């Protein structure tokens, strides 16, 4: 028995459906990646799924495929109907099966979330997150949609998939029908609870009738809607029972409609925060149930299964971050898992801004065919200067290819800007990335020289074959009179705890770091990532007795530790550059804590009285104890210039290369790609 099986017996136990045995309980959840829109799409998709099957995912769920054009998420989203060429599907299913895995295709009808003019819904009620107004389906059209979904399931079966997942959560079409507020129809698909769930029940029956008893039917049920007029807990339980009776083999759980103003998967959501809603489904049925949302470690997965909260765990982003998650778990190497830190920066934020998904901590995700790594032709001695994400990522990739690496870091610890991010409330998952980096550096025997500020002359005399400059950034300190006053401090002073900050604070700069500093200074009670406090802060009813699982937010919502004013020179909305999937959470936190936002600012001076400025031309004095400067960064590339003066070449990466929009995604990607070329 491997170490992994002893430590994670529930997670590694096979599951026998009678006609199909899954090798473990780890499900790679469905993800919209947009890979199908890239060049060499077939190769990319096949490789994407192949390596995750090789990494021993128990069951893979594909991204969603629409059953008809009305159900497309956007006009170029994937569709599976009778006209679809199945070549790519057959390549994917064959690749997964060759690796001993199983794969089911997700069928997703976007309903009124579809971002095109043909979008349809139960009624003409527009979704608050979509500008398109849906057309209400006729009764006949609903029956034909059911047939379309069943037909897509049959085609999936022909293409070699082991089953389908019918998307019934997150506020898409089937879920929309279940809501009494959205579904005000008066035909057989609206009105009573039985009528509102009829679309889902009839869909399952139709799929089962056409695909038979040996084809896995998964239904993703909304375990908690988190919207007004959503289902109550007793309704959800009854719905789950009826889905089982209709022929579902496995129930996956979804949390919250996309329009719900409550975070469900960001890193500020405590791990397994939604356990209560998942357990509720589990207790209602005798078929197996999959837990999802904010489960990113084998420990958390094992705990949920061992304690009977679910039978499987779904991890979508964690399989982007590490395709070998399941294999490493089985081999007892969980400390080597590249953990998903819930940042959303390279996955969801890209999807929400019409780009192709990847992963911050694993730039290979979705780009597998671009990162074919081979041992280096000849071993080189390489100096990497700077132990932030760019330097470490380069060192790891390069050492893997056989080079001998020395990593120099001027400070006493590795991590660079990650050390600032990880102390911000809701960002403690960054610790996992640091853990992963440390484990890999140690395993690969990379020589790390801490407290060593390396100079050009030293690099010249030591005779390295290549020098990588990853010296990062310094905080930009704008030329405001009084910047040398003790009240003026940089965000680095604050986040490293070098300066004790007073009760009244002005923050110059309302970008990502400005918001992070504000969160830090507010002393968010969510810091402890304690589920009960999270649920109460966001008005979630863990008893599930109310519609949608909502309850009133207790007021006053937040007792801020400090009075904070944020300023920016632009007149636009503060926070406009924040990540699409997380920015609204930060802005909501600021609103609750009474943080004042001032735009159109000009800064006159900082003195004993505080910050003298003008807002939209009107002079103001902010009587604050400290003025925290969060005005962006500048590249630190003096070492590269000094080397060039000595006639030595170097490669400059990360923030040292480009400080604009200081970006760990870009830094890690650039470092990894460079390492493959040397
Ligand atoms: P940033 O987003 O570029 O924001 C810099 C802020 O400083 C802006 O509000 C800018 O507003 C102001 N500023 C710039 N130059 C100034 C000057 N000379 N004098 C006074 N104010 C000045 O930079 P950041 O906040 O350091 O964040 C860096 C990057 O980190 C972001 O782009 C983002 O990618 C990432 N990040 C994101 C998040 C998140 O999404 N939650 C969190 C942390 C970091 P005005 O020019 O209008 O004054
Ligand atoms: Fe996870 Fe961030 Fe990677 Fe997305 S980008 S998979 S949230 S680590």
């Amino acid at each position: 028995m491997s170490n992994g099986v002893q430590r994670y017996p529930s997670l590694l136990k096979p599951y026998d459906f009678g006609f199909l045995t899954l090798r473990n309980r780890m499900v790679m959840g469905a993800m919209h990646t947009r890979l199908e829109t890239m060049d060499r799409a077939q190769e990319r998709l096949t490789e994407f799924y192949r390596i995750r099957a090789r990494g021993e995912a128990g069951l893979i769920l594909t991204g969603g495929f629409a059953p008809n054009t009305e159900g497309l998420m956007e006009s170029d989203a994937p569709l599976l109907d009778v006209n679809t060429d199945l070549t790519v599907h057959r390549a994917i299913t064959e690749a997964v099966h060759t690796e001993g895995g199983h794969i089911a295709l997700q069928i997703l009808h976007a309903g009124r979330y579809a971002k095109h003019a043909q979008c349809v819904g139960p009624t003409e009620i527009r979704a608050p997150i979509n500008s398109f107004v849906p057309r209400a389906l006729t009764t006949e059209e609903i029956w034909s949609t059911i047939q379309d979904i069943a037909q897509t399931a049959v085609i999936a079966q022909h293409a070699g998939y082991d089953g389908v997942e019918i998307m019934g959560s997150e506020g898409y079409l089937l879920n929309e029908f279940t809501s009494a507020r959205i579904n005000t129809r008066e035909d057989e698909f609206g009105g009573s609870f039985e009528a509102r769930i009829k679309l889902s029940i009839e869909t399952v029956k139709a799929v089962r009738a056409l695909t038979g008893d040996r084809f896995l039917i998964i239904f993703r049920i909304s375990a908690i809607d988190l919207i007004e007029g959503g289902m109550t807990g007793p309704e959800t339980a009854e719905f789950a029972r009826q889905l089982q009776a209709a022929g579902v083999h496995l129930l996956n759980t979804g949390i919250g409609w996309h329009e719900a103003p409550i975070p469900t998967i960001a890193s500020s959501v405590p791990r397994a925060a939604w356990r209560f809603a998942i357990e509720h489904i589990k207790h209602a049925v005798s078929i197996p149930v999959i837990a999802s949302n904010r489960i990113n470690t084998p420990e958390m997965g094992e705990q949920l299964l061992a304690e009977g909260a679910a039978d499987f765990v779904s991890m979508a982003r964690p399989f982007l971050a590490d395709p070998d998650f399941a294999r490493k778990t089985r081999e007892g190497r969980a400390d080597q898992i590249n953990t998903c830190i819930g940042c959303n920066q390279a996955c969801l934020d890209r999807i929400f801004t019409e780009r192709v998904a990847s992963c911050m901590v694993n730039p290979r995700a979705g780009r597998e065919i671009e990162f074919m790594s081979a041992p280096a032709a000849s071993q080189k001695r390489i100096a990497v200067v700077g132990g932030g994400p760019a330097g470490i990522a380069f060192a790891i990739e390069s050492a893997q290819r056989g080079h001998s690496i020395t990593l120099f870091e001027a400070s006493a610890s590795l991590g660079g800007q990650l050390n600032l991010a990880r102390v911000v409330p809701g960002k403690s998952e960054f610790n996992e990335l640091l853990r992963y980096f440390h484990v890999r550096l140690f395993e690969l025997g990379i020589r790390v020289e801490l407290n060593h500020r390396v100079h050009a002359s030293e690099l010249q005399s030591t005779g390295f074959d290549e020098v990588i400059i990853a010296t990062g950034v310094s905080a930009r300190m704008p030329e405001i009179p009084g910047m040398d006053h003790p009240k003026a401090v940089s965000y680095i002073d604050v986040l490293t705890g070098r300066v004790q900050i007073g009760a009244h604070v002005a923050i110059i700069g309302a970008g990502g770091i400005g918001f992070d500093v504000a969160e830090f200074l507010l002393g968010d009670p969510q810091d402890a990532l304690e589920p009960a406090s999270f649920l109460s802060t966001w008005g979630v009813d863990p008893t599930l007795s109310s519609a949608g699982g909502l309850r009133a937010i207790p007021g006053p919502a937040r007792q801020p530790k400090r009075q904070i004013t944020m300023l920016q020179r632009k007149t636009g909305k503060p926070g406009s550059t924040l990540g699409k999937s997380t920015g609204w959470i930060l802005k909501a936190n600021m609103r609750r804590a009474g943080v004042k936002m001032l735009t159109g600012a000009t800064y006159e001076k900082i003195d004993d009285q505080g910050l003298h400025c003008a807002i939209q031309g009107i002079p103001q004095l902010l009587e604050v104890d400290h003025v925290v400067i969060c005005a962006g960064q500048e590249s630190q590339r003096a070492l590269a210039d000094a080397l060039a003066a000595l006639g030595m070449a170097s490669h400059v990466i990360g923030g040292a290369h480009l400080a604009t929009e200081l970006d760990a995604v870009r830094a890690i990607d650039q470092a990894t790609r460079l390492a493959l070329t040397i």
Side-chain angles (χ1 to χ4, degrees):
M1 192 187 282
S2 77
N3 266 345
V5 177
Q6 281 162 358
R7 289 189 63 184
Y8 312 108
S10 317
L11 211 49
L12 288 158
K13 199 168 169 190
Y15 193 96
D16 184 3
F17 284 93
F19 56 93
L20 171 95
T21 301
L22 299 180
R23 58 185 158 188
N24 60 47
R25 308 300 181 91
M26 288 170 270
V27 177
M28 172 175 148
M31 275 174 287
H32 187 27
T33 59
R34 267 206 198 89
L35 286 181
E36 63 283 349
T37 63
M38 293 184 87
D39 62 332
R40 300 164 68 193
Q42 174 168 336
E43 252 181 285
R44 283 179 193 279
L45 283 159
T46 308
E47 209 48 37
F48 178 74
Y49 290 118
R50 184 202 311 279
I51 73 156
R52 285 161 176 86
R54 190 176 295 159
E56 301 182 8
L59 173 67
I60 293 173
L61 304 175
T62 68
F65 283 77
N68 55 32
T69 50
E70 291 163 344
L72 286 169
M73 192 60 213
E74 51 210 5
S75 47
D76 61 350
L79 173 83
L80 186 65
D81 69 6
V82 285
N83 300 315
T84 308
D85 176 3
L86 296 183
T87 314
V88 60
H89 292 281
R90 293 208 166 103
I92 290 169
T93 54
E94 196 183 317
V96 169
H97 292 149
T98 304
E99 298 294 344
H102 289 95
I103 182 163
L105 178 125
Q106 189 191 67
I107 307 177
L108 183 154
H109 189 304
R112 65 184 196 130
Y113 283 168
K115 297 218 171 344
H116 53 75
Q118 285 79 46
C119 80
V120 294
T123 54
E124 289 177 3
I125 301 174
R126 184 178 65 82
I129 55 170
N130 195 2
S131 57
F132 293 98
V133 178
R135 180 178 63 77
L137 286 165
T138 64
T139 309
E140 293 70 38
E141 284 173 327
I142 295 173
W143 283 109
S144 90
T145 301
I146 292 169
Q147 282 315 307
D148 289 344
I149 295 174
Q151 194 57 47
T152 296
V154 172
I155 299 165
Q157 196 172 25
H158 286 153
Y161 289 100
D162 301 292
V164 287
E165 175 175 76
I166 301 166
M167 182 44 146
S169 63
E170 259 78 9
Y172 293 114
L173 185 79
L174 271 54
N175 200 185
E176 286 158 15
F177 269 79
T178 64
S179 158
R181 184 171 62 86
I182 309 296
N183 181 358
T184 53
R185 301 176 67 92
E186 291 176 354
D187 64 358
E188 59 192 297
F189 292 102
S192 68
F193 169 70
E194 293 290 330
R196 284 184 274 118
I197 64 169
K198 183 170 178 175
L199 167 58
S200 297
I201 301 299
E202 292 299 328
T203 299
V204 171
K205 284 183 185 166
V207 171
R208 187 76 190 249
L210 291 191
T211 57
D213 292 339
R214 304 180 64 78
F215 186 66
L216 195 62
I217 300 177
I218 307 158
F219 188 93
R220 188 156 187 196
I221 188 172
S222 181
I224 180 168
D225 286 333
L226 299 178
I227 55 136
E228 275 175 42
M231 282 183 288
T232 62
E235 284 176 336
T236 312
E238 177 56 24
F239 184 25
R241 282 189 285 272
Q242 294 202 29
L243 286 166
Q244 171 172 346
V248 166
H249 299 106
L250 179 57
L251 270 177
N252 196 357
T253 47
I255 306 294
W257 290 32
H258 284 321
E259 68 200 63
I262 296 170
T264 55
I265 57 167
S267 63
S268 53
V269 178
R271 289 179 181 173
W274 306 105
R275 173 184 173 144
F276 67 97
I278 294 155
E279 235 168 359
H280 177 70
I281 303 284
K282 166 79 184 145
H283 292 152
V285 292
S286 56
I287 51 173
V289 170
I290 308 176
S292 75
N293 284 53
R294 285 291 285 131
I295 302 162
N296 62 345
T297 63
E299 286 72 21
M300 182 51 75
E302 177 64 24
Q303 189 185 340
L304 287 170
L305 303 198
E307 293 175 5
D311 305 280
F312 288 82
V313 287
S314 168
M315 293 171 286
R317 296 171 299 165
F319 276 100
L320 269 189
D322 195 333
D324 292 322
F325 187 105
R327 179 197 292 277
K328 288 177 182 173
T329 300
R330 181 180 61 77
E331 292 174 351
R333 298 191 291 129
D335 63 330
Q336 293 173 23
I337 290 175
N338 196 1
T339 306
C340 165
I341 58 172
C343 65
N344 290 350
Q345 279 177 244
C347 53
L348 285 178
D349 285 347
R350 286 197 182 164
I351 290 299
F352 291 156
T353 48
E354 266 100 68
R355 291 175 290 162
V356 182
S358 185
C359 172
M360 178 202 275
V361 303
N362 173 25
R364 285 183 159 81
R367 311 289 185 280
E368 285 77 9
I369 61 172
E370 296 168 31
F371 283 85
M372 296 298 183
S373 184
S378 63
Q379 195 197 49
K380 289 185 170 179
R381 289 182 62 237
I382 302 178
V384 180
V385 187
I392 299 175
F394 178 90
I396 290 172
E397 195 65 38
S398 201
Q400 260 170 202
R401 296 188 58 234
H403 292 307
S404 164
I405 310 291
T406 305
L407 176 60
F408 297 99
E409 166 56 43
S411 75
S413 59
L414 292 174
Q417 301 286 312
L418 300 180
N419 289 315
L420 303 181
R422 70 194 180 89
V423 299
V424 174
K427 287 196 165 182
S428 57
E429 291 283 2
F430 274 90
N431 284 313
E432 295 288 353
L433 180 54
L434 277 169
R435 184 260 313 146
Y436 172 74
F437 277 159
H438 277 110
V439 169
R440 294 295 290 141
L441 289 168
F442 177 76
E443 273 172 2
L444 290 162
I446 293 170
R447 191 165 157 202
V448 178
E449 301 243 344
L450 295 176
N451 298 307
H452 190 150
R453 185 175 292 280
V454 73
H455 296 286
S457 53
E458 185 184 349
L459 290 170
Q460 189 185 36
S461 62
T462 336
F464 284 102
D465 299 314
E466 304 276 355
V467 177
I468 312 300
I469 306 292
T471 41
V473 293
S474 55
R476 179 189 291 129
M477 300 302 272
E479 287 178 15
I480 301 169
M483 282 300 272
D484 53 352
H485 192 280
K487 280 183 192 271
V489 295
S490 82
Y491 68 87
I492 299 173
D493 295 324
V494 176
L495 296 175
T496 53
R498 276 207 293 260
V499 179
Q500 288 308 304
I501 301 296
H504 297 87
V505 185
I507 296 178
I508 289 187
I513 304 281
F515 274 84
D516 276 359
V517 165
E519 274 287 327
F520 179 81
L521 291 176
L522 286 169
D524 193 337
Q526 283 186 53
D527 196 7
L529 286 180
E530 205 274 303
S533 135
F534 165 81
L535 298 175
S536 147
T537 303
W538 288 94
V540 179
D541 168 19
T543 68
L544 294 165
S545 49
S546 52
L550 299 179
R551 68 175 174 195
I553 294 177
R558 216 173 166 188
Q559 292 300 336
K561 272 208 308 211
R562 294 183 172 86
Q563 283 185 1
I564 297 179
T565 305
M566 293 178 74
L567 303 100
Q568 68 175 25
R569 296 170 304 175
K570 289 186 284 290
T571 50
K573 279 190 182 163
S576 57
T577 56
L578 298 174
K580 196 116 176 125
S581 64
T582 48
W584 64 274
I585 304 170
L586 288 171
K587 285 185 250 178
N589 282 346
M590 297 301 124
R591 268 196 305 278
R592 281 204 211 111
V595 172
K596 229 163 125 183
M597 303 275 175
L598 300 178
T599 62
T602 48
Y603 309 113
E604 192 197 324
K605 65 176 176 185
I606 299 163
D607 64 13
D608 288 346
Q609 288 181 288
L611 174 64
H612 300 258
C613 59
I615 305 301
Q616 323 272 359
I618 300 167
Q620 282 203 21
L621 166 64
L622 301 181
E623 293 181 35
V624 293
D625 305 308
H626 286 99
V627 180
V628 185
I629 312 298
C630 304
Q633 294 79 23
E634 282 162 2
S635 293
Q636 294 228 53
R637 43 174 306 137
L639 183 60
D641 296 340
L643 286 173
L646 294 175
M648 276 181 75
S650 64
H651 306 268
V652 185
I653 59 173
H657 169 75
L658 189 61
T660 326
E661 292 184 1
L662 162 73
D663 185 347
V665 178
R666 187 177 62 215
I668 295 174
D669 181 89
Q670 183 191 29
T672 310
R673 285 178 193 269
L674 176 66
L676 295 180
T677 66
I678 294 177

